């Protein structure tokens, strides 16, 4: 046998490193492509759901106008047994076309941004806002009134977008929340009593619902952050 001490080219460390680099490049490219595809799908779904919900609002108002506002009777009627059913329907009903037109742009913008935090998360946030706003109206609105309108969702989405990023310490979402605050923050004055024709109770409890949704849906991030902080303290 020859007495050479080398292990041969197959065991060249530089060659092995190059091979690993070549193998890693397609993997990294695959992850980037997968991430891009997931983001594109999220946008497509969020846009479709937002436009679909807006189309539903217009369809309902079309039927409502043909029936001379009969559907508005299905709104929230405070402290009455049948009024509880209105919690389910009130956010998709509007008093007239002007009422709906006023809500359309905020629904499109804030509804889309809410769904872009994650389709499942956005839908759960909407459900929380929907229920809390409706119950708040049912408990506190003036007697014999009927409350309708998607503005309760608008106020809830607004506070959800402002709070969720902060609760979860998500830098991008904090930036989105600040932008939303600058653009739409002035509407938060609507949670205060004013025009008797406007349900400030729905606005107030919608906004509360958004804060609750932001807190509940940031639970995993908050637990992870507490665990990381505990680990740093223990080390």
């Amino acid at each position: 046998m020859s007495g050479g001490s080398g292990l041969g080219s197959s065991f060249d460390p530089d060659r092995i490193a190059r091979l690993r680099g070549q193998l890693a490049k397609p993997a990294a490219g695959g992850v980037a492509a997968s991430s891009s595809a997931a983001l594109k799908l999220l946008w497509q779904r969020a846009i479709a759901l937002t436009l679909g919900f807006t189309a539903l609002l217009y369809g309902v108002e079309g039927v409502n106008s043909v029936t001379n506002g009969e559907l508005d009777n299905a709104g929230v009627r405070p402290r009455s047994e049948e009024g509880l059913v209105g919690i389910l329907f009130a956010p998709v009903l509007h008093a007239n076309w002007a009422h709906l037109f006023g809500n359309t742009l905020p629904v499109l913008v804030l509804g889309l941004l809410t769904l872009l935090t994650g389709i499942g998360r956005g839908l759960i946030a909407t459900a929380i806002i929907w229920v809390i706003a409706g119950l708040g109206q049912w408990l506190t609105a003036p007697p014999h009134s009927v409350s309708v309108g998607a503005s309760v969702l608008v106020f809830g989405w607004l506070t959800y977008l402002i709070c969720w990023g902060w609760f979860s310490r998500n830098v991008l979402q904090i930036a989105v929340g600040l932008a939303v605050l600058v653009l739409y923050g002035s509407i938060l004055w609507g949670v205060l009593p004013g025009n008797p024709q406007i349900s400030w109770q729905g606005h107030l409890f919608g906004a509360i619902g958004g804060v609750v949704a932001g807190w509940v849906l940031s639970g995993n991030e908050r637990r992870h952050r507490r665990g990381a902080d505990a680990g740093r303290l223990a080390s």
Side-chain angles (χ1 to χ4, degrees):
M1 296 179 64
S2 62
S5 61
L7 294 176
S9 61
S10 297
F11 295 93
D12 181 355
D14 292 335
R15 182 171 179 272
I16 292 172
R18 286 195 299 272
L19 288 171
R20 285 178 175 170
Q22 291 171 358
L23 290 171
K25 285 180 182 177
V31 170
S34 175
S35 177
S36 176
L39 184 60
K40 180 180 179 181
L41 182 60
L42 172 62
W43 272 89
Q44 289 174 340
R45 289 178 174 175
I47 290 171
L49 286 170
T50 304
L51 292 178
F53 181 68
T54 306
L56 172 66
L57 297 182
Y58 274 78
V60 169
E61 186 55 30
V63 174
N64 199 29
S65 63
V66 170
T67 59
N68 295 317
E70 284 296 318
L71 294 183
D72 288 340
N73 293 322
V76 176
R77 294 176 177 272
R79 296 170 296 285
S80 67
E81 199 169 312
E82 63 275 12
L84 283 170
V85 180
I87 294 172
L88 297 176
F89 302 111
V92 300
L93 300 170
H94 289 83
N96 49 50
W97 286 109
H99 187 196
L100 176 56
F101 294 156
N103 282 334
T104 298
L105 185 58
V107 164
L108 287 169
V109 174
L110 299 178
L112 176 62
L113 290 175
T114 295
L115 290 173
L116 287 176
T117 66
I119 299 299
R121 183 183 286 116
L123 292 176
I124 293 171
T126 300
I128 291 172
I129 294 163
W130 197 303
V131 172
I132 290 178
L135 284 174
Q137 287 177 312
W138 187 83
L139 289 169
T140 64
H144 312 299
S145 64
V146 181
S147 300
V148 296
S151 58
V152 297
L153 301 180
V154 168
F155 277 76
W157 288 333
L158 174 63
T159 55
Y160 166 74
L161 289 167
I162 293 170
C163 294
W164 183 76
W166 177 256
F167 290 148
S168 62
R169 297 299 191 270
N170 183 307
V171 176
L172 176 60
Q173 193 58 44
I174 288 173
V176 171
L178 289 173
V180 165
L181 181 61
V182 170
L183 291 173
Y184 286 102
S186 61
I187 71 171
L188 288 174
W189 291 109
V191 303
L192 300 176
N195 188 336
Q197 300 300 315
I198 296 176
S199 175
W200 64 267
Q201 296 91 346
H203 295 171
L204 174 62
F205 283 95
I208 291 172
V211 176
V212 172
W215 177 259
V216 170
L217 294 172
S218 65
N220 287 338
E221 289 82 359
R222 288 185 286 106
R223 283 190 292 271
H224 178 75
R225 190 169 66 250
R226 284 197 299 268
D229 291 342
R232 282 195 295 270
L233 290 172
S235 62

